[in-house]
Amino acid sequence: MDLWSLEPVALPAELEALRTNVRAFLAGELAAGRIASRCDQWLGGWDPGFSRRLGERGWIGMAFPERYGGSAAGALARFVLTEELLAAGAPVAAHWIADRQTGPGLLRFGTEEQKQAFLPRIARGECFFAAAMSEPDTGSDLASVRARGTRADGGWRLSGTKVWTSGAHRAHAMIVLARTEPRTADRHAGLTQFIVELPDPAVRIRPILLLTGEHHFNEVVLDDVFVPDARVLGEPGSGWHQVTGELAMERSGPERILSTFPLLAAAMDDLAERGDQAGAARVGTLVARLWALRQASLAVAGRLDAGAAPAVEAAAIKDLGTRFESVVTDTVRLLSRVVPDPGSDRRLPRLLAESILHGPGFTLRGGTNEILRGVVAKELGVR
Ligand SMILES: Cc1cc2nc3c(=O)[nH]c(=O)nc-3n(C[C@H](O)[C@H](O)[C@H](O)COP(=O)(O)OP(=O)(O)OC[C@H]3O[C@@H](n4cnc5c(N)ncnc54)[C@H](O)[C@@H]3O)c2cc1C
């Protein structure tokens, strides 16, 4: 069995021009004070204005075809863009889920009407999505979701509770995973994905606050929500297959290795200023690890560009990548001579505080390490 089928990818030369353009744009945004560089902005940096400015440049939906408002530039171009946005700590959370997983999901499974209705707006940075998969007591065990969809005249009625739904309070729609057939021995059968447009009077969205008091995720109660047939995504009953494809998109990207990159960069500047050679050597080993992870993540983008679904590779990279993100925080904490302070106007104490406070989520979101290792073990035939 060919478990690890990643080929090294060399980025085409023309993508260097894209990288230069993105860097120049971001430098302008930072210099003008329109955005600030922070850690973990792909979860926390909700800035619709910035998303629209990216959309105007064709930098959302780079993997969508042109007829749906995308630039058809492909996964490698999107990788370069994503890398630059994350390295700069730019506020990309508003469009992140729509660009990364909803758009590709609509392209694969959506009806023509759904594609026309959502993809151009996503690409313009005007339509944001949330992913409503997790539930209380079923988080890692998605096959046991209890939200139910029952047949109604012209559509379906959804009831149940979702949890950790990032951005649902500000999104224009969310993709809800619900059980639409009674549970059988095949736990993966009978699940369906629905597009629920927001706000909806039958959807109650309650905040779950982060350690910092920030509001990014939510508990979402679906109280007999009507969803017309036209808003069923894909085939009723095929939700498991669709959602696992979505998770492969969700797990493999550079956001799984770069949430704390702004901190790493700030620490390198600090060590250089203080002439700390031993500290610089420690950070050097982190940079070497980062480079290896980056090559693996890039190779997954290459496989996606070739039309493959590298779920096992994505799981392994997420496990390694998110643990690396936490090591960056721990190492900088040990090496730096600053007290973490989220309110500081100095870069290093503020970025360190953000990384520490957001850190507990790194290895959980998108699938916990134990679950990811289970995915790999299953493929190896040892589970
Ligand atoms: C910052 C953040 C953002 C998130 N955003 C979203 C979102 O937008 N949409 C969404 O749907 N979800 C979201 N989530 C939810 C996230 O994907 C879940 O937290 C995750 O899937 C784990 O579920 P849980 O928290 O219920 O933990 P549980 O499933 O209760 O797991 C608890 C622990 O038990 C372990 N465990 C569970 N089952 C097994 C098993 N069979 N074998 C071995 N170990 C096991 C887990 O690995 C974990 O360590 C987000 C989470 C975070 C932290």
Side-chain angles (χ1 to χ4, degrees):
M1 177 188 38
D2 189 9
L3 176 66
W4 188 262
S5 53
L6 291 181
E7 295 294 323
V9 167
L11 286 170
E14 69 265 18
L15 292 186
E16 286 312 315
L18 170 68
R19 191 184 293 285
T20 307
N21 281 343
V22 178
R23 279 192 186 170
F25 165 74
L26 290 170
E29 291 279 305
L30 286 162
R34 280 193 289 274
I35 62 169
S37 175
R38 311 187 77 129
C39 284
D40 209 24
Q41 290 266 68
W42 66 269
L43 176 86
W46 192 283
D47 184 339
F50 182 68
S51 292
R52 269 193 295 276
R53 294 198 288 285
L54 288 181
E56 279 163 17
R57 284 165 176 74
W59 290 345
I60 303 179
M62 292 187 90
F64 305 175
E66 285 167 354
R67 67 181 182 285
Y68 300 125
S71 53
L76 293 181
R78 185 176 176 276
F79 186 96
V80 167
L81 169 81
T82 306
E83 219 175 23
E84 292 302 321
L85 291 169
L86 295 164
V92 290
H95 67 271
W96 204 251
I97 289 176
D99 180 60
R100 177 182 70 188
Q101 62 208 68
T102 317
L106 284 165
L107 280 169
R108 280 183 72 193
F109 305 114
T111 62
E112 186 56 29
E113 186 273 333
Q114 289 169 353
K115 290 177 193 168
Q116 298 282 359
F118 295 108
L119 292 173
R121 286 166 56 215
I122 291 175
R124 289 199 300 270
E126 293 171 359
C127 180
F128 310 134
F129 271 74
M133 298 181 228
S134 302
E135 294 186 9
D137 306 324
T138 68
S140 292
D141 186 11
L142 270 186
S144 73
V145 296
R146 287 182 296 199
R148 295 204 66 82
T150 43
R151 215 56 192 101
D153 210 12
W156 297 77
R157 292 207 165 269
L158 304 188
S159 290
T161 303
K162 295 288 171 179
V163 78
W164 313 125
T165 322
S166 302
H169 56 306
R170 292 185 277 209
H172 301 99
M174 59 184 176
I175 308 274
V176 172
L177 180 69
R179 180 157 288 288
T180 47
E181 290 163 31
R183 257 179 83 161
T184 59
D186 180 2
R187 300 173 73 244
H188 299 153
L191 297 166
T192 302
Q193 286 189 303
F194 296 91
I195 303 167
V196 174
E197 294 182 71
L198 297 169
D200 182 307
V203 178
R204 284 202 311 280
I205 299 176
R206 294 199 286 247
I208 302 174
L209 300 183
L210 245 60
L211 286 170
T212 49
E214 293 165 72
H215 177 193
H216 302 309
F217 41 50
N218 302 280
E219 181 187 67
V220 174
V221 180
L222 307 157
D223 188 7
D224 206 25
V225 182
F226 179 72
V227 184
D229 283 325
R231 290 292 170 264
V232 173
L233 179 60
E235 286 301 312
S238 300
W240 181 259
H241 167 65
Q242 293 175 202
V243 109
T244 45
E246 187 176 330
L247 286 170
M249 297 280 177
E250 187 177 336
R251 287 173 176 163
S252 58
E255 63 267 47
R256 303 302 177 180
I257 54 182
L258 290 176
S259 300
T260 50
F261 186 83
L263 174 67
L264 188 63
M268 289 192 281
D269 290 346
D270 177 58
L271 291 165
E273 266 169 38
R274 290 195 284 115
D276 182 343
Q277 297 284 341
R282 288 278 293 278
V283 170
T285 63
L286 291 181
V287 174
R289 258 173 90 175
L290 177 61
W291 195 253
L293 286 165
R294 188 239 181 200
Q295 292 305 106
S297 179
L298 181 56
V300 167
R303 300 268 291 137
L304 290 173
D305 238 10
V312 174
E313 293 86 342
I317 290 166
K318 182 183 180 288
D319 178 18
L320 294 165
T322 56
R323 281 188 291 131
F324 168 78
E325 291 178 321
S326 300
V327 172
V328 169
T329 309
D330 292 343
T331 308
V332 175
R333 197 176 191 173
L334 286 172
L335 293 178
S336 71
R337 305 243 172 99
V338 300
V339 176
D341 176 1
S344 177
D345 50 15
R346 286 170 53 226
R347 195 160 65 120
L348 190 57
R350 181 174 55 74
L351 293 171
L352 183 55
E354 285 165 5
S355 303
I356 291 168
L357 292 168
H358 280 231
F362 295 165
T363 52
L364 293 172
R365 58 189 177 193
T368 63
N369 299 62
E370 294 83 352
I371 297 303
L372 297 168
R373 289 170 203 175
V375 170
V376 176
K378 224 174 190 169
E379 200 64 26
L380 280 171
V382 296
R383 185 168 169 246

